[in-house]
Amino acid sequence: MLGTIVNAVAIVIGSIIGQLIKKLSPDKFNDTLMKGLALSVIFIGISGAMKSSNIILLIFSIAIGAIIGEILDIDALLNKFGNHIEKRFNVGRISQGFITATLIYCVGAMAIVGSIESGLTGNHATLYAKSTIDGLTAIIFSSSLGIGVMFSAISVIIYQGIITIGASFLKNILIDSTITQMSAVGSLLIMGIGFNMLGDFKIKLANLLPAIFIPLVYQLIITLFNI
C-alpha cells in the first residue's frame, strides 16, 4: 500500500499548491487551460484504448459495466459524497472537481498496472511515477476545478488499495492480456472524461467504472471452466 499512500499524498500536496496559485490566474486563462487539458486527456484515452487486443470484449465490458453502474448508480453516490463534504467542511461546491479528478486518477492504465505490480511483487515504481504525474496535474486541476480535487485522494486510496490487496489473490488470472484489456477499457473512459471537460455534454462516467473489471471476470470464467 506504500505506493498508493504516496500517490494520495502527492495529490493532496498538488491540490493545495493549486489553490494557492489560483488567485494569480485570471478566469480566462483557466477556461483555455481546461480546454487544452481536455484535448490532452482525450488523446491519452485514444492512445490507450487502441491497445485493446479484443474489441468485442471491450464493447461487452462497456455494455455490461454500464448496466451494473446504473443499477448501483455510482455517479449519484459520488455526488452525494461530494455534497456531504461540502456541507461538512463548508468549502463551497466541490463535486465537479472531486468526481473529475477521481475518474482521471483511478481509471488510467498506471493506476491499474501500478496497483497490480504493488500487490504482486511489492514493486511501487509505477505508482511512484504516477504520484509525480498526479501531483503535478493536481496543481492544474485544483486551480481550475477547485478544492474538490484534493478529496479525490480518498478515492485513490480506496480504489488502488482494493486492486493492490486483491492482486495477491488473483495472480493466476492477472495475465498480460487481461491487464491490457482492463487498461484499454479504462482508457476509453478517460476519453469520456476529456469530452466532459469540454463542457458540451455530460456522460455519467462513474456509472461505467464496473466495465474496467469485466475483462477480469471474463478471464476468471475462462480459467475456472477451462474454456
Side-chain angles (χ1 to χ4, degrees):
M1 287 290 290
L2 179 61
T4 293
I5 293 173
V6 171
N7 197 170
V9 171
I11 292 172
V12 171
I13 294 175
S15 299
I16 292 174
I17 295 174
Q19 286 296 294
L20 293 176
I21 67 173
K22 182 177 181 180
K23 297 179 181 179
L24 303 177
S25 179
D27 290 340
K28 66 175 183 178
F29 288 173
N30 288 335
D31 181 66
T32 302
L33 180 59
M34 281 302 299
K35 295 295 190 295
L37 286 174
L39 294 176
S40 299
V41 169
I42 291 172
F43 174 76
I44 292 171
I46 293 175
S47 300
M50 291 296 288
K51 296 178 181 179
S52 173
S53 57
N54 190 335
I55 300 300
I56 299 300
L57 178 57
L58 182 68
I59 295 172
F60 270 100
S61 295
I62 292 295
I64 296 172
I67 294 172
I68 296 173
E70 283 295 331
I71 291 174
L72 298 176
D73 204 356
I74 301 172
D75 184 78
L77 291 175
L78 287 178
N79 271 296
K80 183 177 181 180
F81 180 69
N83 293 333
H84 173 72
I85 295 176
E86 291 173 17
K87 295 178 181 179
R88 178 69 177 80
F89 297 97
N90 192 27
V91 291
R93 183 159 182 78
I94 68 169
S95 293
Q96 181 187 6
F98 168 68
I99 294 176
T100 300
T102 290
L103 292 170
I104 289 176
Y105 295 145
C106 289
V107 304
M110 292 184 78
I112 298 171
V113 176
S115 298
I116 290 174
E117 287 179 349
S118 182
L120 290 180
T121 66
N123 181 3
H124 308 301
T126 300
L127 287 184
Y128 288 156
K130 180 176 181 291
S131 299
T132 302
I133 296 171
D134 289 356
L136 292 173
T137 55
I139 297 175
I140 300 173
F141 286 128
S142 179
S143 65
S144 303
L145 296 175
I147 194 63
V149 174
M150 182 175 71
F151 292 96
S152 67
I154 299 173
S155 304
V156 167
I157 289 179
I158 295 173
Y159 178 81
Q160 292 183 183
I162 290 174
I163 295 177
T164 298
I165 295 172
S168 59
F169 297 100
L170 299 171
K171 58 183 178 181
N172 291 330
I173 63 173
L174 284 171
I175 58 178
D176 290 343
S177 60
T178 302
I179 296 173
T180 298
Q181 283 298 127
M182 292 175 67
S183 298
V185 175
S187 295
L188 202 59
L189 300 191
I190 287 177
M191 286 177 57
I193 294 170
F195 288 122
N196 277 355
M197 289 171 64
L198 289 173
D200 294 330
F201 51 90
K202 170 68 175 175
I203 305 173
K204 292 183 179 180
L205 291 167
N207 285 354
L208 290 173
L209 281 174
I212 295 175
F213 301 99
I214 300 302
L216 183 64
V217 175
Y218 172 76
Q219 185 60 44
L220 178 61
I221 293 173
I222 289 178
T223 302
L224 290 177
F225 295 98
N226 295 315
I227 299 175

